[in-house]
Amino acid sequence: MTTADLILRQAQLIDGTGAPLFIGDLAISDDRITGMGDLRDWRADQEIDARGLALAPGFIDSHCHDDLALLQTPLLEPKISQGVTTVVNGNCGFSLAPHPANRGPLPQPLASLVPDPSLMFFDFAAYFRRLSEEPPSVNSMCLCGHTTLRHAVMDRFDRAATRAEIKAMRNFLDTALTQGAAGMSTGLYYPPASAAPTEEVIEIGGVLQDHRALYVTHMRNEADGVVASVEETLRIGRETGVPAIVSHHKCMNPQNHGKSVVTLGIIDAALAAGQDVGLDAYPYIAGSTFLFPERVDQAARVIVTWSKAMPEMGARDLSEIAADLGLSLRDAAERLLPAGAVYFQMDEGDLRRILAHSLTMIGSDGLVADPHPHPRAWGTFPRVLGHYARDEGLFSLEEAVHRMTGLTAKRFGLSERGTLQVGAFADLVLFNPATIQDTASFEEPKRPAAGIHGVWCNGRLTWDGRAATGDRPGRVLTRSS
Ligand code: ZN
Ligand code: CU
């Protein structure tokens, strides 16, 4: 008789490859899956009757800003309560390393994300060491941010980098990749990086290929310039010779609604020509980032998520705040800075088209430290599984799971995670496919999802269906290559 630490019996096994689910048992011992299928001859210390429930690989959140949260709120309830077992950090150009000594103050908006430069790390080795010493509840990977690289070598950000600065950034990136960073991210939309020409990114990114690393981008423009930005992204991917990933793909503002037909068409043409391209998205028609006064007139609705200047205005609609203050939307926004906001700027048709693209990974882009966050921080994965897959039939449950597990694992080089198979790490989520649902709303964004029954990371229970267990088994992951 074979034994195991834990056997989940008669679950609907969704293996993460997109293949149809099948009923079976799954055994784990220590941190690995040790058996799968008909295990009636096996015995375990603990057995769970999983009839009527689905068992899937733990979800991999492909686009995160949990760099600091992993250390400051290491249980990361917003993520584990959704079934997440791995997060990919360092997105949109922002990472906590490299941060050499004696640099000037952090530029906005980086300073809003990292309140104190002493929270940054000299290099990725130091960051990863801290994460190993004080582990969080989830596994993590990290990209090296281009904006962070700029801050490491440049004294001002309103211009292109010089030859010498580019060389220095290449060296920093090379070291970061050697130490385990998964690639480079850019945030070309944001002021500290928006002055960087395409060539600067290509030249720094020249070291990615040797490490088989990724180029991941919050594009220069997701509104009127979205088509040109996709073309720029593809050019950077071609000229650096690495996969190019479009982060949180969207087409903002009414005049650009429907343009996902064009952007996805360009991506498909590149794929057909043999280029390696990917994308991620979150399942909401509202986005969230810093409050930019020049953006507020174009949005159907703006909710303030936090404000340094007027903290009491957090969680309120900007239109109400403006009315109270007797100011225009734009002037009211100026008063609140620095601040964060949720913007309703997208089209449901574009969102569905993007989510349905076969290469779209699910990434929350959640800002878990915001006092009144966008609900994607707590609801992304259950919303895709419940609302979009089950209720709206956008794709099958198996396909939905694939976009948050196997597809993402493959993209990030995680060969032993993201699928249910004997020998793989036991990152698992047990959920009820009939009841899984996001409950976090724009009004009440900090609510755990319904229908998640258990979450295991490296074989250890992190979420018991109601609360965090307190266990923190998360490991630092690197591209296995
Ligand atoms: Zn972004
Ligand atoms: Cu982001």
Side-chain angles (χ1 to χ4, degrees):
M1 188 176 60
T2 317
T3 59
D5 294 343
L6 168 68
I7 298 178
L8 295 126
R9 298 235 177 244
Q10 295 295 296
Q12 299 169 23
L13 298 174
I14 302 177
D15 72 4
T17 66
L21 65 81
F22 60 100
I23 306 291
D25 308 330
L26 186 140
I28 67 181
S29 280
D30 195 12
D31 61 354
R32 303 271 182 171
I33 298 172
T34 51
M36 222 172 113
D38 182 353
L39 306 180
R40 81 183 77 177
D41 297 335
W42 291 45
R43 290 292 170 270
D45 302 337
Q46 188 196 0
E47 302 208 1
I48 294 175
D49 179 359
R51 274 175 296 183
L53 301 177
L55 184 63
F59 304 146
I60 302 170
D61 192 343
S62 63
H63 185 108
C64 299
H65 295 284
D66 299 331
D67 311 55
L68 203 52
L70 292 181
L71 297 168
Q72 294 192 330
T73 53
L75 291 181
L76 219 69
E77 280 111 330
K79 297 295 175 72
I80 60 172
S81 62
Q82 305 183 48
V84 170
T85 54
T86 297
V87 298
V88 181
N89 284 324
N91 277 288
C92 300
F94 310 126
S95 56
L96 295 181
H99 183 64
N102 303 320
R103 297 306 303 165
L106 294 172
Q108 287 295 358
L110 187 54
S112 296
L113 220 53
V114 186
D116 183 342
S118 71
L119 297 167
M120 296 185 67
F121 292 86
F122 175 75
D123 61 7
F124 276 83
Y127 178 49
F128 290 158
R129 201 177 313 119
R130 257 296 279 293
L131 285 173
S132 306
E133 287 164 4
E134 300 169 37
S137 65
V138 294
N139 303 313
S140 61
M141 297 192 90
C142 200
L143 300 159
C144 178
H146 167 242
T147 296
T148 300
L149 290 171
R150 287 193 124 218
H151 181 255
V153 311
M154 295 173 72
D155 295 313
R156 46 189 292 191
F157 310 103
D158 56 349
R159 59 170 176 81
T162 64
R163 295 241 48 90
E165 288 163 342
I166 287 174
K167 188 155 179 272
M169 284 192 268
R170 276 175 72 104
N171 287 337
F172 274 117
L173 178 61
D174 194 48
T175 302
L177 298 168
T178 302
Q179 294 177 347
M184 176 170 74
S185 77
T186 56
L188 297 175
Y189 170 73
Y190 295 108
S194 55
T198 312
E199 293 72 21
E200 174 183 319
V201 179
I202 290 170
E203 285 174 43
I204 301 167
V207 299
L208 291 167
Q209 195 173 23
D210 284 348
H211 297 270
R212 300 173 62 194
L214 305 174
Y215 174 65
V216 181
T217 181
H218 179 148
M219 299 191 300
R220 202 176 287 279
N221 192 306
E222 296 176 305
D224 296 350
V226 67
V227 172
S229 288
V230 169
E231 282 166 345
E232 179 187 33
T233 301
L234 295 176
R235 180 185 159 204
I236 294 168
R238 278 194 308 273
E239 297 197 17
T240 54
V242 300
I245 315 296
V246 177
S247 295
H248 43 60
H249 187 35
K250 61 173 88 71
C251 300
M252 294 192 309
N253 301 337
Q255 66 272 26
N256 302 307
H257 291 172
K259 279 194 186 167
S260 61
V261 174
V262 181
T263 58
L264 295 178
I266 295 170
I267 288 170
D268 285 338
L271 287 165
Q275 188 174 353
D276 193 354
V277 190
L279 60 161
D280 64 67
Y282 49 80
Y284 297 86
I285 56 160
S288 182
T289 182
F290 307 99
L291 180 60
F292 293 103
E294 66 276 14
R295 245 168 97 161
V296 300
D297 290 321
Q298 300 243 40
R301 180 185 174 198
V302 177
I303 306 170
V304 175
T305 52
W306 57 272
S307 162
K308 260 233 164 82
M310 305 178 85
E312 68 280 10
M313 296 301 184
R316 294 188 66 195
D317 272 44
L318 181 65
S319 59
E320 286 173 31
I321 298 170
D324 282 3
L325 298 175
L327 295 171
S328 68
L329 288 179
R330 211 183 251 243
D331 289 343
E334 292 284 357
R335 287 277 188 94
L336 296 167
L337 296 181
V342 164
Y343 304 83
F344 288 77
Q345 285 183 296
M346 297 172 233
D347 171 62
E348 180 72 25
D350 283 321
L351 172 58
R352 287 175 186 234
R353 200 174 292 117
I354 290 165
L355 284 175
H357 191 277
S358 64
L359 292 182
T360 299
M361 302 178 283
I362 306 304
S364 72
D365 201 11
L367 303 166
V368 299
D370 279 5
H372 186 82
H374 185 304
R376 67 194 183 189
W378 290 77
T380 290
F381 294 86
R383 185 168 169 81
V384 170
L385 295 166
H387 179 68
Y388 281 110
R390 180 192 60 224
D391 299 343
E392 298 290 314
L394 190 62
F395 34 54
S396 68
L397 186 63
E398 292 91 336
E399 183 63 25
V401 168
H402 176 58
R403 286 138 185 284
M404 41 187 85
T405 58
L407 178 68
T408 316
K410 195 160 185 205
R411 173 54 78 197
F412 286 94
L414 301 174
S415 57
E416 297 180 291
R417 299 184 194 267
T419 52
L420 299 183
Q421 55 185 71
V422 173
F425 285 104
D427 290 349
L428 299 166
V429 52
L430 184 67
F431 66 94
N432 187 334
T435 62
I436 190 163
Q437 191 71 53
D438 55 307
T439 67
S441 64
F442 288 95
E443 290 68 35
E444 282 196 66
K446 294 181 178 181
R447 295 174 64 182
I452 302 278
H453 286 240
V455 182
W456 291 261
C457 178
N458 295 311
R460 285 153 60 178
L461 189 70
T462 54
W463 180 263
D464 68 10
R466 287 176 306 277
T469 61
D471 206 354
R472 289 159 34 185
R475 297 176 187 166
V476 175
L477 308 181
T478 56
R479 290 176 66 77
S480 39
S481 304

